[in-house]
Amino acid sequence: MNRPTAEQTAATDAFRAGEHLVIQAGAGTGKTTTLAMLAHHASPRGRPGRQGRYIAFNRAIARDAGQRFPGHVTCSTAHALAYASVGKDYQSRLNAPRQAGWRVGAALGIDSDVTVRIGARRVGNRALSYSALRTVTRFCQSADPELAAQHVPRLRGAESDVAHAQLTEIVLPFARKAWADLQHPEQGAVRFEHDHYLKMWALSEPRIPADFLLLDEAQDTNPVVEQVFAAQRGHAQLVLVGDSAQAIYGWRGARDVIGAFDGRRLTLSRSFRFGPALAEEANRWLAIVDAPIRLDGSPSLATELGRVLQPDAVLCRTNVGAMVEVIRQLERGCRVALAGGGGPLAALAQSAHDLRSGRRPSHPELMLFESWQELREYAECDPSGRDLQPLVELVTEHGTESLLRALDRLSAEERAEVTVSTAHRAKGREWPTVRIADDFTAPDDLDERGADGEPLPGPVNVAEARLAYVAVTRARIRLDIGGLSWINSHPAGDPRPDRPRESPCHDEVERDGG
């Protein structure tokens, strides 16, 4: 085991003193290792034999932690805690077969022939059923005591406030009926999901039996888990560890709880994943998001920035971008893996195929569009549809049948030459060499012009900058910033504008082997 850094030693000392802690830990700085270090020093002055719990973001992290933490610390997810208390009573419903959302909607009273006009869109039973079930999910991820209007999602193609208010009025009664259906342990119309028993557990105001709690990946904590965790303060020492700059799951209900947590603030800034050159690149994005830390790269690692022709991984902004990259790599003759599998992309491609064939698509991204032409106009003319433009172009060039055949040719990661991933799925992972895909586009120009007559670049969206930070910090040996190279000429690109920078893509290197 490496000798602890000064920051890790400071965290250990503060933990032994019994303080509540919040630790900002940058990419590759050893968050879980530091928490394990704290757990091994879990006997503060005069309080021996304390029992602890480590709460992980997912089961894989919890399993790994179980091999690294001492025996007096139980490692699990929040869902595992909730299942032991509440979820086990719903086992028969958890094992129920899956069925289409519109069938569930029909059981809730959304007739199969129902169609309502919301704004310029015609919304059918499938979209209404999806919205009702998604409303329940969003409620379960929240800290709210009751299901209400703020939980109804906005539908693609009907994003305006007026359209959303119309949708809410229709959907909310069905969502409440679905939540009432879920209260029955033995049977019901709605498929019982893990988030359902997590919410029921939280509403019971549980007391977690532990002397200290360690919450990992705190920047991606759903409010429902935050609520339960914070409520343990009266009897347990609380420690949160996370990276606010990696808070990229707000779209699915997560919230960065680090900033508002009341505790002693510490940092982990030495990255063990990459060297100083990549740390400097990461710090550009940390400056844009106004993060409370800056990274130091490991002096023993000579991570480079430059062109990578055959990367181990290509990281994309969107699922559509990942589909474009998969096609590109297959056309080059590479064995390609897709992180997380091809299911989500196949579902999107199948819905595009249905739309082109004159059938209403079932995918949430496309379900409100009545024709392929309508989708094309939305992607080309509506700012909200900009990210669907690559899908339209891809389908126009290759056809949906070719896309579906290509997804059938994907390889397992252990046999692949290159892994394609969205930046969201790449979080927590690393590869020797990484290239950033082309769908990380620059912000739109402003209407104003500079002294040279050229349009001034618009500000960098903070959420996009967080995603870029995650993407650029996945490489260990070499990074090609590719689609993010626009940052080199953007005013926000260097937090120290008086310091000259070389372009990171000034040479080319080809990875050995296939």
Side-chain angles (χ1 to χ4, degrees), residues 112-190:
S112 59
D113 59 351
V114 67
T115 300
V116 297
R117 177 66 65 175
I118 294 181
R121 303 291 180 193
R122 194 165 56 88
V123 181
N125 68 308
R126 294 173 185 259
L128 293 175
S129 299
Y130 162 81
S131 297
L133 296 176
R134 181 62 185 157
T135 297
V136 173
T137 298
R138 285 163 57 94
F139 165 62
C140 289
Q141 294 169 343
S142 77
D144 300 325
E146 295 182 354
L147 199 154
Q150 66 266 25
H151 304 122
V152 179
R154 291 178 186 266
L155 288 179
R156 173 79 80 159
E159 296 96 339
S160 72
D161 290 342
V162 173
H164 185 251
Q166 290 179 277
L167 179 69
T168 297
E169 185 176 357
I170 298 170
V171 164
L172 202 52
F174 293 113
R176 287 174 175 152
K177 190 173 181 180
W179 180 241
D181 175 275
L182 290 165
Q183 307 308 305
H184 304 290
E186 298 300 327
Q187 60 184 358
V190 182

Side-chain angles (χ1 to χ4, degrees), residues 1 19 79 128 141 156 176 182 190 193 209 218 225 237 248 274 314 320 342 372 390 416 422 459 481:
M1 183 175 179
E19 298 182 72
H79 281 88
L128 293 175
Q141 294 169 343
R156 173 79 80 159
R176 287 174 175 152
L182 290 165
V190 182
E193 303 284 355
V225 175
Q237 181 185 9
I248 60 174
F274 44 75
V314 179
V320 174
W372 182 251
T422 62
I481 68 169

Side-chain angles (χ1 to χ4, degrees), residues 41-42 82 132 152 161 228 256 259 373 385 394 463 497 504:
H41 294 83
V152 179
D161 290 342
V228 173
D256 178 17
Q373 180 60 31
L394 194 65

Side-chain angles (χ1 to χ4, degrees), residues 209-386:
D211 297 303
F212 61 91
L213 297 175
L214 310 173
L215 179 63
D216 205 350
E217 299 288 351
Q219 78 282 348
D220 290 326
T221 300
N222 283 339
V224 64
V225 175
E226 174 198 4
Q227 179 186 52
V228 173
F229 182 82
Q232 313 306 310
R233 179 182 287 266
H235 72 274
Q237 181 185 9
L238 306 182
V239 179
L240 284 82
V241 177
D243 184 355
S244 292
Q246 292 192 58
I248 60 174
Y249 287 113
W251 54 275
R252 72 177 191 191
R255 190 172 81 88
D256 178 17
V257 304
I258 298 175
F261 184 75
D262 182 17
R264 181 174 175 184
R265 299 190 170 274
L266 300 168
T267 60
L268 298 176
S269 60
R270 168 59 59 85
S271 181
F272 301 101
R273 179 181 299 158
F274 44 75
L278 202 151
E280 184 178 352
E281 177 64 32
N283 286 340
R284 290 208 281 180
W285 301 100
L286 289 173
I288 292 171
V289 304
D290 196 24
I293 60 172
R294 299 293 182 269
L295 290 176
D296 293 319
S298 174
S300 62
L301 299 176
T303 311
E304 299 176 333
L305 278 74
R307 188 72 58 82
V308 181
L309 297 183
Q310 293 186 7
D312 295 286
V314 179
L315 305 186
C316 307
R317 170 66 185 83
T318 64
N319 278 324
V320 174
M323 189 182 293
V324 171
E325 191 60 43
V326 164
I327 297 293
R328 183 178 297 162
Q329 294 293 335
L330 287 172
E331 289 178 342
R332 293 181 57 201
C334 292
R335 294 190 303 275
V336 185
L338 186 65
L345 289 185
L348 185 61
Q350 183 61 56
S351 273
H353 179 75
D354 291 342
L355 194 57
R356 292 191 88 196
S357 302
R359 296 186 295 271
R360 289 299 292 263
S362 59
H363 196 284
E365 290 288 286
L366 308 182
M367 62 170 48
L368 289 195
F369 297 98
E370 298 184 35
S371 68
W372 182 251
Q373 180 60 31
E374 187 178 52
L375 174 62
R376 290 188 62 171
E377 292 174 356
Y378 174 79
E380 293 172 0
C381 305
D382 193 317
S384 300
R386 176 180 175 183

